[in-house]
Structures are given as structure tokens and as C-alpha cells.
Amino acid sequence: MLRLGEKISAAEITPEAVYLERRRFMLGGAALALSALSGLGHAGCEHGNIPASSEPLTDIDAATHHNNYYEFSTDKKSVSRLAKDFNPRPWTVAVSGEVRKPKTYDIDELTRLVHPEERIYRLRCVEGWSMVVPWLGIPLCEVLRRADPTGKAKFVEFVSIKKPESMPGQRYASLSWPYTEGLRIDEAMHPLTMLVFGMYGKPLPNQNGAPLRLVVPWKYGFKSIKAIAQIRLVENQPLTSWSRSAPREYGFYANVNPAVAHPRWSQRRETRLGELSKRDTLPFNGYAEQVAPLYQGMDLVANF
Ligand SMILES: Nc1nc2c(c(=O)[nH]1)N[C@H]1C(S)=C(S)[C@@H](COP(=O)(O)O)O[C@H]1N2
Ligand SMILES: [Mo]
């Protein structure tokens, strides 16, 4: 039996178009064959206060043909074509560092750790586009908790795969390879932070980060690292690919903030993929109620 999160099965009051879309994804999701999942639970990770979205979903074609993925290309329209033959199997994800129980998971073991959930999240790219996507995955917290972090685990570093034979963009020094990202431990443990392996009820397309990516919806898109191979719990704030290449432009926190301009352009407005007119960008990408408490007392202009 197909088991998706409550968000999709609850009889929520939503505009009819959204409801019909959701139904379509449930049917599509059957193709994922999430069968042998009953009996698994969520013990230990608090999932409260996940916002329900009633916004129209971005067209799947738009969300899968306009991609930032420098391992393949810096041209957003070419990524899907260049990533077509990338093989996300076999794949392992190593969880290591400041933990008592390091473990290397096979990807198919990791995606079955707990019931997958479908959550509709906005993702806002630093370059000004945004999308609303039904993501399928598990809370990152579930994986971190099982590793049993030590008291020294203050940050989490994520490392992508390095495979220049099948990732043509890695032949250029457009960024340092492998792509790395990081979160503070409380950001990583936050219930909104998801490890994602599907979208629109289907396995994640290569261009969107197969077989496993992060989605951190209140941060600019570059924090949502694709093709994750390693998750390391560390004591010190890790250096990330974008901060290394342009420290003035891409900070470690990267919380969506319309009040703080990128040095080369404003962040006040954004364009939803598939739409023509712009809309206002919201603080924390609209997730302030859930995540603003994480940053109480912090100067979010200095910590951009
Ligand atoms: N490994 C890797 N992950 C990455 C990137 C990348 O170049 N390499 N680009 C990031 C950026 S800048 C954005 S906006 C999002 C885009 O995700 P999408 O293609 O699913 O929209 O992926 C992020 N994750
Ligand atoms: Mo981005």
C-alpha cells in the first residue's frame, strides 16, 4: 500500500485545481512502489507545525527544465539534457564525523528509513526565480538522530558526488568540486529540513538532484545541495562551495531575505517559473513563523 505523508491524504480545504493536482500526484506516486514501508515509524523527530501550502504548483515541465546544477552546466536550460544519462545507482551516503554511530547507507535503504512524506514547499533561487514543488522525502532529522551526534556536532557538512566522467561541468573550475554545503545543527534538525528523493510523486529526476538532495525551503536554493554522497557532523562551520567562490555574494546562512540585496541585484522580488509578473519575496521565503526563532538575537544583515 502506498503511504504518503498526512499533507497529501488529509481532507484539506484547497482550491479545486490544487486538489486535483494532488490526486494526480498520488496516482503518479504509486509508480514509486513504496510498498514494504508499513511498520516504520517516526520515533524521536518532532514533526509539528509543517505548513500546508494552497499555492498552485509549478508546472512539472518548468521545474525540471530550468535547473541550477553546475556539475552539468552553468546554462539552466541545458542541465536536463546533459544529466539525462547520469546513473544515480549504485549509490551510498556516508554519515560520519562527530557521531557515535557512523553509517554508510545504500540509497535504497536510506529512502526506506521512515515513511516518506510529500510536502509542498517553495524554493527560491538567489538569482530571482522560484517554484512550488511537491517534494517527496524524509526529515533530515531522522537520519541525524540515528547517527547519535556527540556534543561536538555543531554543524553538518554535506558533500556531493565528484564524477567528472559523467558530470561534464566538473571539467571546469566554475566551482570547487565536489560541491559542498552546510547547515548549523539546529537548522539541520529542524522539522522543515528534508532529504528529498522524489518530486511530483515520482523519483527525483537527475537534473533536480537524483538520487538524494536537500531541500531547506527558507534558504536560497544553493543551500539545497544535490547528489549527496556524504553527510558529516562537524565542530566548526564548514566552508561551502559558493562562499568559497564568492564570499561577498553567498553567505553561510543564506536565509531568504528581501531586505538584504545580493551585491549585484535586489532580492525584493521574484519570478515564479512559468509566470510572467513578479511577486514580492517573503522573509524566510514565507516560513518565518516556523524558523525565525532559530535566529533570535542574530544580525541577519551581517550573517547573510
Ligand atoms: N550539487 C549541486 N547542488 C545544487 C546546485 C549545484 O550546482 N550543484 N545548485 C543549487 C542552486 S543555486 C539551486 S537554485 C538549486 C536548484 O534546484 P532545482 O534545479 O531543483 O531547481 O540547486 C542547488 N543545489
Ligand atoms: Mo540558485
Side-chain angles (χ1 to χ4, degrees):
M1 189 187 60
L2 180 69
R3 297 286 299 264
L4 294 173
E6 309 91 325
K7 291 298 158 205
I8 193 167
S9 56
E12 289 162 36
I13 298 154
T14 54
E16 194 186 2
V18 175
Y19 173 74
L20 291 172
E21 283 293 286
R22 288 188 186 183
R23 262 187 59 83
R24 193 163 67 74
F25 299 133
M26 286 184 75
L27 298 172
L32 264 179
L34 302 167
S35 47
L37 291 165
S38 49
L40 299 170
H42 283 307
C45 283
E46 189 44 66
H47 290 223
N49 203 14
I50 305 296
S53 170
S54 57
E55 288 181 294
L57 300 174
T58 297
D59 176 66
I60 185 172
D61 214 55
T64 56
H65 292 89
H66 179 101
N67 303 100
N68 190 305
Y69 203 167
Y70 276 28
E71 283 88 336
F72 291 99
S73 176
T74 54
D75 172 23
K76 293 173 180 54
K77 297 287 166 217
S78 301
V79 171
S80 55
R81 178 176 49 83
L82 292 167
K84 191 164 50 67
D85 296 327
F86 182 74
N87 185 2
R89 295 290 188 288
W91 194 279
T92 57
V93 180
V95 183
S96 67
E98 289 295 342
V99 294
R100 292 180 196 91
K101 296 179 186 158
K103 181 170 167 128
T104 297
Y105 290 92
D106 180 79
I107 184 64
D108 298 310
E109 179 189 10
L110 186 61
T111 60
R112 282 163 175 74
L113 208 56
V114 292
H115 293 306
E117 292 178 42
E118 185 175 73
R119 296 193 194 157
I120 299 170
Y121 282 165
R122 292 177 288 276
L123 194 64
R124 200 312 193 160
C125 174
V126 77
E127 285 175 271
W129 46 277
S130 63
M131 58 191 192
V132 181
V133 168
W135 305 100
L136 188 68
I138 61 175
L140 174 62
C141 164
E142 296 282 0
V143 176
L144 298 181
R145 191 179 59 79
R146 280 168 176 73
D148 197 2
T150 72
K152 284 188 182 170
K154 300 282 197 298
F155 293 89
V156 183
E157 179 181 33
F158 303 87
V159 185
S160 293
I161 199 85
K162 186 173 178 182
K163 234 181 171 185
E165 350 44 281
S166 48
M167 296 179 130
Q170 285 185 338
R171 294 170 206 155
Y172 306 93
S174 48
L175 284 175
S176 58
W177 310 117
Y179 188 106
T180 65
E181 256 307 334
L183 294 172
R184 213 171 58 190
I185 189 79
D186 57 336
E187 300 176 320
M189 297 295 283
H190 193 279
L192 285 191
T193 303
M194 257 182 124
L195 270 179
V196 162
F197 41 84
M199 62 195 279
Y200 299 91
K202 290 187 265 215
L204 205 55
N206 288 339
Q207 63 268 33
N208 294 90
L212 191 73
R213 72 175 295 172
L214 204 60
V215 175
V216 194
W218 71 95
K219 293 179 179 282
Y220 289 116
F222 66 88
K223 301 297 285 185
S224 291
I225 181 174
K226 297 171 172 176
I228 297 170
Q230 292 181 60
I231 299 173
R232 291 191 196 130
L233 289 93
V234 294
E235 188 167 9
N236 300 308
Q237 183 177 305
L239 189 56
T240 65
S241 287
W242 287 99
S243 295
R244 180 182 316 211
S245 83
R248 274 184 5 94
E249 302 190 6
Y250 308 104
F252 178 79
Y253 284 93
N255 292 316
V256 173
N257 190 346
V260 175
H262 181 281
R264 291 185 278 140
W265 59 81
S266 162
Q267 294 290 19
R268 290 197 179 283
R269 313 263 290 158
E270 67 193 64
T271 307
R272 256 320 128 71
L273 291 183
E275 292 180 10
L276 294 173
S277 55
K278 295 193 177 196
R279 60 178 73 216
D280 287 342
T281 287
L282 301 172
F284 298 105
N285 201 24
Y287 300 96
E289 191 190 317
Q290 288 79 25
V291 301
L294 298 177
Y295 309 102
Q296 237 148 41
M298 256 178 88
D299 178 348
L300 294 178
V301 176
N303 296 287
F304 60 97

